[in-house]
Amino acid sequence: MRARGARWVAVLAAMACAAACTNAPPPPLVTTEVARTQTTKLPTPNEAVVGVDSVTGGYNPHKLADQSAITTALSQVLLPSVFRPGPDGTPVLDRTLMVSAEVTSAEPYTVTYRLRPEAAWSDSAPIAAEDFVYLWEQLREEPGVLDSAGYQLISNISARDAGRVVEVTFSKPYPGWRGLFTNLLPAHLLKDIPGGWSNVLRENFPVTGGPFSVRGIDRDRGEIVLERNDRYWSTPVPLDRVILRRADADGIASALKSGHDQLALTAPDADELPEYTNLGLTVTSSVVPRTSVATVLLRPVGAAMADQRIRSAVIALTDREALIKAGTGGGPGSTFAANALVLAPTAKNYAATGPAPTKPDVALAEGLLAQAGYTKLNGSWALGETPLNLVIAAPAGRSAYVDIARELQRQLSAGGVQSRLITPESADLFTTLLAPQPPTATAPVEQVDLVVAPQSTTGDPATVLATRFGCGPVQAGSVPTAANPTGFCDQTVQEVVDKALTGSISFAEATGLVEPTLWNRAVALPLYQEADSLVVRREMSGVSAGPPGAGPFATAPQWQRPSG
């Protein structure tokens, strides 16, 4: 047995030597194939796709030129705010950002803000006092911004505790202070941006300070991709991703039916509404009013429109119901006809302050034009040999406003008033053509007489009144000038505006005094509050119209989609 074992050892040794000591190739490598799907399949992202009408920017929520449903939606989930609208629209302190915010001194009037120490932008820079200062400096100086009147009252901002405690001092009492410092911007990145304020959030968000961040904005494809902000210091959102995807009504309805879209925020006209109602029990739907009112501004500037009789004649020639139809197409906004100059139809304490819409009163218009010295020659009104030819402006790319402007032009033509329609880019319209002009300034290249544009209704009502119809700060020895796109400034009205802004009288008392005057002066003609349809597939949870003034994206941190 021992000899037989020795022979086996010798054989094994010889085999090992043959394998190692010759040039023969090694035996083929035996592998076990693994199914491709096991190594390359990626987990399906927990995402919600939102069908929208447009994704175009800019996205600066503080610019009149950038106001849109998309800008409001993005600001809700990407930018931090000291206060946000509560369930009834009343400002409520956002405790994900703030520890406290309160009036700490009556003389001088001072508000102290304390930020949470962990609050930071998505690049880890702290959200701090410099962001407050940056917003204050821009909104008190730049033309074409919202709510500038409140920021004009700030006299100083100081900081302590590494910028986490911010003390804001006002030159006068300001009860509307809770409307300030919404949608803070990252000063550390924007204060030195090439092109300055005009380029802020024009194309994208460099960083964010909310529960989501921006993965990408593709205007050509019509898509904005938001992802969960992994550096957000508060409770993480349930969804990994939210995609805003542009399509027409038929495309959005089809995507909702198939489940490719989970919800939609869109403004369909009467012909497009059946696309969504035909979805039946697959979805729920609701109307979401926006914080803007489509308005015709009658600017009291230039030789003709400075005459109140001409402005009143223009209003007498208009058919407001036809203008509303042109802008809404019978869609959601058509149910919110506006008949007040400050509050929107869905605002708390809204009440009509002007005359009900009527059909054109040609006789009244002709009488006013004749009183102003105009005569009708060959069907057109003229002063001597100079025809009355007004310039109507509407922002380019805003089809609803361009449609209203065209209908207004048609109505004026029917009444013998010539006009010319221009459609400049929104930024040019609000920051150049409608910018407040000092008395010594030369007239802009294009004198605009009538403007069809949205008027923001967000924030403190007294501040909205001051921003929309107030005069600019008056230096000693200077003449008061308008500080609003309408170009209107009246010292009698301004006295009431100042009292409302500083709390000397209530907003209700102020509007009771000034709105009749403003209607009589014929400087603005409100049409309707803009609105969208929110359509949601039933399997989605946590989605609602949101608080007044905030919209459905205010609820995005609670959105959930069932897995599988």
Side-chain angles (χ1 to χ4, degrees):
M1 293 290 296
R2 186 177 295 112
R4 183 181 299 175
R7 286 196 300 271
W8 276 109
V9 169
V11 170
L12 291 172
M15 292 174 61
C17 180
C21 302
T22 67
N23 293 325
L29 181 64
V30 177
T31 61
T32 301
E33 185 176 351
V34 179
R36 182 177 298 275
T37 55
Q38 295 182 11
T39 59
T40 62
K41 183 179 180 180
L42 297 176
T44 301
N46 179 22
E47 67 181 26
V49 180
V50 186
V52 295
D53 298 322
S54 172
V55 299
T56 56
Y59 306 109
N60 189 335
H62 301 288
K63 290 183 179 180
L64 290 169
D66 290 359
Q67 296 307 294
S68 68
I70 290 298
T71 296
T72 299
L74 294 179
S75 65
Q76 286 294 324
V77 296
L78 301 178
L79 298 177
S81 292
V82 173
F83 284 85
R84 295 185 184 275
D88 64 349
T90 303
V92 175
L93 188 69
D94 186 347
R95 295 194 176 275
T96 63
L97 175 70
M98 305 299 300
V99 175
S100 64
E102 57 188 348
V103 177
T104 52
S105 173
E107 185 58 45
Y109 196 84
T110 305
V111 178
T112 301
Y113 302 83
R114 290 180 169 83
L115 292 100
R116 289 178 58 169
E118 65 270 32
W121 298 102
S122 55
D123 63 355
S124 299
I127 300 173
E130 67 171 336
D131 303 316
F132 285 67
V133 172
Y134 176 75
L135 199 59
W136 167 47
E137 291 176 342
Q138 305 310 309
L139 298 192
R140 71 175 181 175
E141 297 173 357
E142 294 290 342
V145 297
L146 282 69
D147 297 336
S148 58
Y151 291 93
Q152 293 285 352
L153 293 177
I154 297 175
S155 57
N156 186 59
I157 296 180
S158 60
R160 50 191 170 87
D161 293 351
R164 297 296 190 174
V165 177
V166 186
E167 292 185 342
V168 179
T169 305
F170 295 82
S171 59
K172 298 177 182 179
Y174 181 45
W177 63 270
R178 291 174 182 82
L180 299 176
F181 304 114
T182 60
N183 300 315
L184 290 168
L185 301 175
H188 66 291
L189 296 178
L190 299 181
K191 60 185 178 182
D192 298 320
I193 189 173
W197 178 252
S198 61
N199 284 336
V200 168
L201 306 190
R202 185 175 180 178
E203 303 288 342
N204 208 328
F205 291 75
V207 293
T208 64
F212 287 90
S213 59
V214 179
R215 181 181 180 183
I217 296 178
D218 190 331
R219 288 188 178 85
D220 293 334
R221 294 182 59 190
E223 190 172 274
I224 298 176
V225 180
L226 308 178
E227 289 186 334
R228 183 191 296 116
N229 180 3
D230 291 333
R231 293 185 176 178
Y232 187 53
W233 59 93
S234 190
T235 306
V237 296
L239 291 176
D240 299 327
R241 186 182 300 166
V242 172
I243 301 173
L244 288 75
R245 186 168 291 156
R246 180 192 65 212
D248 59 17
D250 182 66
I252 293 175
S254 176
L256 285 168
K257 184 176 182 179
S258 66
H260 291 136
D261 284 6
Q262 282 65 57
L263 62 153
L265 186 64
T266 176
D269 61 26
D271 293 333
E272 295 169 337
L273 280 172
E275 297 279 0
Y276 304 107
T277 57
N278 290 341
L279 294 173
L281 298 179
T282 305
V283 301
T284 61
S285 62
S286 58
V287 174
V288 182
R290 297 187 197 173
T291 57
S292 56
V293 171
T295 307
V296 178
L297 304 179
L298 298 96
R299 308 185 72 232
V301 297
M305 293 292 284
D307 191 329
Q308 180 178 326
R309 293 168 296 188
I310 303 300
R311 301 195 303 273
S312 296
V314 169
I315 290 180
L317 290 173
T318 60
D319 181 341
R320 288 170 69 188
E321 291 182 352
L323 296 179
I324 292 171
K325 183 178 180 180
T328 66
S334 62
T335 61
F336 299 113
N339 205 30
L341 293 168
V342 179
L343 293 180
T346 61
K348 186 178 180 180
N349 300 322
Y350 168 82
T353 62
T358 59
K359 293 298 180 181
D361 190 335
V362 177
L364 174 60
E366 290 183 343
L368 290 167
L369 289 166
Q371 290 175 27
Y374 285 79
T375 56
K376 202 168 188 179
L377 301 173
N378 300 320
S380 297
W381 290 93
L383 184 62
E385 295 183 356
T386 305
L388 178 58
N389 194 350
L390 304 178
V391 175
I392 305 173
R398 304 288 187 94
S399 58
Y401 292 101
V402 175
D403 289 344
I404 295 170
R406 286 175 177 153
E407 172 61 21
L408 176 60
Q409 186 179 31
R410 187 198 65 77
Q411 293 177 10
L412 294 181
S413 178
V417 176
Q418 298 181 29
S419 62
R420 182 166 58 88
L421 174 60
I422 62 171
T423 56
E425 293 297 325
S426 291
D428 292 335
L429 177 62
F430 287 105
T431 62
T432 303
L433 296 179
L434 304 183
Q437 299 292 326
T440 57
T442 58
V445 175
E446 187 78 76
Q447 182 70 62
V448 178
D449 300 303
L450 298 159
V451 184
V452 182
Q455 291 286 281
S456 174
T457 62
T458 187
D460 170 61
T463 305
V464 173
L465 170 63
T467 301
R468 196 177 296 176
F469 298 107
C471 303
V474 180
Q475 303 297 328
S478 63
V479 178
T481 58
N484 54 75
T486 308
F488 175 80
C489 173
D490 181 277
Q491 281 301 98
T492 303
V493 171
Q494 187 63 35
E495 290 176 6
V496 179
V497 169
D498 287 339
K499 290 179 180 178
L501 198 62
T502 58
S504 298
I505 62 175
S506 68
F507 172 74
E509 185 178 355
T511 53
L513 292 170
V514 303
E515 288 226 10
T517 300
L518 294 171
W519 280 106
N520 183 59
R521 298 291 295 275
V523 293
L525 187 65
L527 300 177
Y528 62 91
Q529 183 174 0
E530 295 185 287
D532 295 297
S533 290
L534 174 65
V535 188
V536 186
R537 284 183 60 89
R538 289 187 176 275
E539 68 266 20
M540 285 291 294
S541 62
V543 184
S544 73
F553 273 73
T555 68
Q558 289 81 51
W559 293 357
Q560 294 191 56
R561 180 183 179 186
S563 58

